[in-house]
Amino acid sequence: QAVSVESNRSGSGSVHQRSSGSLVDPSPAMATEQWNVRVKIETLDRGGVVVKNMWSVGSTVTVQIEPHATINMLKQRIALLVAAHMKHQTICTEAGEELDDIKKLQDCTTDGAVLLLHVRQPQEEEAPPVEISDDEGMWAPEEGDCELLPEDERFTMELTEDEQDKQNAAKGASAELLEDGDKAGALGKLTEAIMIGNPTAMMLAKRAEMLLKLKRPRAAAADADAALRKNPDSAKAYKIRGKAKRFLGDYEGSKADLDQAQKIDYDDDVADIHAYVTKRVAKLAQKAAQEAKKAAKEAAAEAAAAATAEGQ
């Protein structure tokens, strides 16, 4: 394989690619002398890094460049094609003499001569495998259905004065029962108030809070959803739903909700659980990235082995 690369007339600057696959200078043609230097790839060690590139060991790249250009300039053009950083390149004569970066081509080779390219990229240090500890704070799946909510128009309908009085009475009874320690009774009375119709976001968030204290995170999240339908800026609803999702093992969802809750109204009491899910989400992302990288390396190794076997 061979490709032609033309530098710009000053020996530096950008290069463009023709539809034929060669890289050319967009500047107007000038009378400066150009050499065709053939660079044969002798070594292409990418240090285990997976790179999508058409060039392989044995390929020859023909570079059109000025004779006064340096080896470093030649490496710049080679880097564009081979996808190998200049610092990882070594260029030698066919006799094996390593050429210094500052040496000019006209002082070490001739037009049409072959130079040998060795790419040796250091082995990338692999980070230790990310270990995800068990979440001992996650709750067991809850039993039973979510609490009732008014349907359709009753969720938003305007209450009559009599209905408002009944709703307020039920809310008051719920508060008294909760103060007496009767959580189940308080939940029942608050549900009664909600089912009268047009519950406020605060009422729904309050019931979600009760449900979370009763270790019913799925039901709590459902009430928080309803509260956010009423008030999309309810920090309390985001906070409760974020906590509920944490106990359900939905760490990304929990982080997103707690991010929003803290943005609307920062709460020190949420800081610890927010920090926990933030760290866990980051660890899960690191582990997923490691696994994806490992799978890509294995696939690349299998493809290389298959190509080698096919060529034999």
Side-chain angles (χ1 to χ4, degrees):
Q1 295 177 331
V3 68
S4 176
V5 179
E6 297 178 2
S7 73
N8 65 6
R9 302 305 178 248
S10 64
S12 61
S14 61
V15 288
H16 290 197
Q17 188 166 7
R18 284 181 181 158
S19 59
S20 63
S22 64
L23 296 178
V24 299
D25 182 2
S27 59
M30 295 177 67
T32 306
E33 182 186 3
Q34 298 285 301
W35 276 8
N36 290 311
V37 178
R38 293 183 295 159
V39 180
K40 183 178 180 183
I41 303 174
E42 289 284 292
T43 307
L44 191 56
D45 181 359
R46 299 192 184 277
V49 177
V50 178
V51 177
K52 291 183 179 180
N53 190 267
M54 63 181 288
W55 305 107
S56 59
V57 172
S59 300
T60 297
V61 181
T62 299
V63 182
Q64 194 172 69
I65 192 168
E66 301 88 339
H68 65 262
T70 63
I71 293 296
N72 186 66
M73 293 176 181
L74 178 62
K75 286 182 177 181
Q76 290 178 30
R77 287 141 182 80
I78 294 170
L80 294 173
L81 292 170
V82 183
H85 196 283
M86 293 158 50
K87 67 183 180 181
H88 300 143
Q89 297 179 33
T90 301
I91 295 180
C92 302
T93 64
E94 287 189 288
E97 178 190 355
E98 183 177 336
L99 300 177
D100 191 271
D101 282 355
I102 63 173
K103 204 159 193 176
K104 292 184 178 181
L105 292 171
Q106 62 192 13
D107 297 332
C108 59
T109 188
T110 59
D111 185 15
V114 175
L115 296 178
L116 306 181
L117 172 68
H118 298 275
V119 175
R120 298 183 180 90
Q121 187 168 329
Q123 190 74 26
E124 186 178 31
E125 291 187 13
E126 292 189 6
V130 176
E131 298 293 337
I132 307 294
S133 60
D134 292 337
D135 182 4
E136 296 180 357
M138 192 165 67
W139 292 346
E142 65 188 277
E143 297 179 359
D145 298 325
C146 296
E147 293 297 313
L148 295 172
L149 286 167
E151 296 182 357
D152 303 325
E153 69 276 1
R154 291 204 64 84
F155 189 72
T156 55
M157 67 177 287
E158 187 175 348
L159 301 183
T160 65
E161 188 174 334
D162 183 55
E163 287 172 329
Q164 287 179 347
D165 289 342
K166 288 180 179 179
Q167 189 176 73
N168 289 334
K171 285 165 55 182
S174 174
E176 289 178 5
L177 288 167
L178 187 61
E179 190 175 341
D180 292 338
D182 185 356
K183 294 179 182 178
L187 177 63
K189 275 297 178 181
L190 187 53
T191 297
E192 182 183 318
I194 288 171
M195 292 305 294
I196 290 172
N198 197 18
T200 64
M202 186 58 68
M203 290 169 61
L204 294 164
K206 180 64 178 177
R207 191 173 71 172
E209 188 175 42
M210 287 185 182
L211 290 165
L212 194 61
K213 289 179 178 178
L214 292 169
K215 291 195 172 183
R216 295 178 59 188
R218 185 166 56 85
D223 271 8
D225 286 342
L228 289 166
R229 283 163 55 196
K230 283 284 189 173
N231 178 11
D233 295 321
S234 172
K236 184 170 184 177
Y238 277 117
K239 178 172 67 174
I240 294 168
R241 193 172 70 176
K243 287 182 176 180
K245 288 179 178 179
R246 177 264 177 273
F247 294 121
L248 289 168
D250 178 7
Y251 307 110
E252 289 187 6
S254 174
K255 179 184 180 300
D257 281 345
L258 294 177
D259 283 347
Q260 189 65 16
Q262 296 295 70
K263 181 179 178 181
I264 296 170
D265 183 18
Y266 186 83
D267 185 351
D268 284 331
D269 292 338
V270 181
D272 286 346
I273 190 170
H274 188 206
Y276 173 80
V277 294
T278 298
K279 290 178 181 178
R280 197 162 182 92
V281 166
K283 272 197 166 186
L284 289 168
Q286 289 174 359
K287 186 174 181 64
Q290 281 188 345
E291 291 175 349
K293 185 175 181 180
K294 180 181 178 182
K297 287 180 70 173
E298 290 175 350
E302 289 177 6
T308 300
E310 187 176 330
Q312 292 177 347

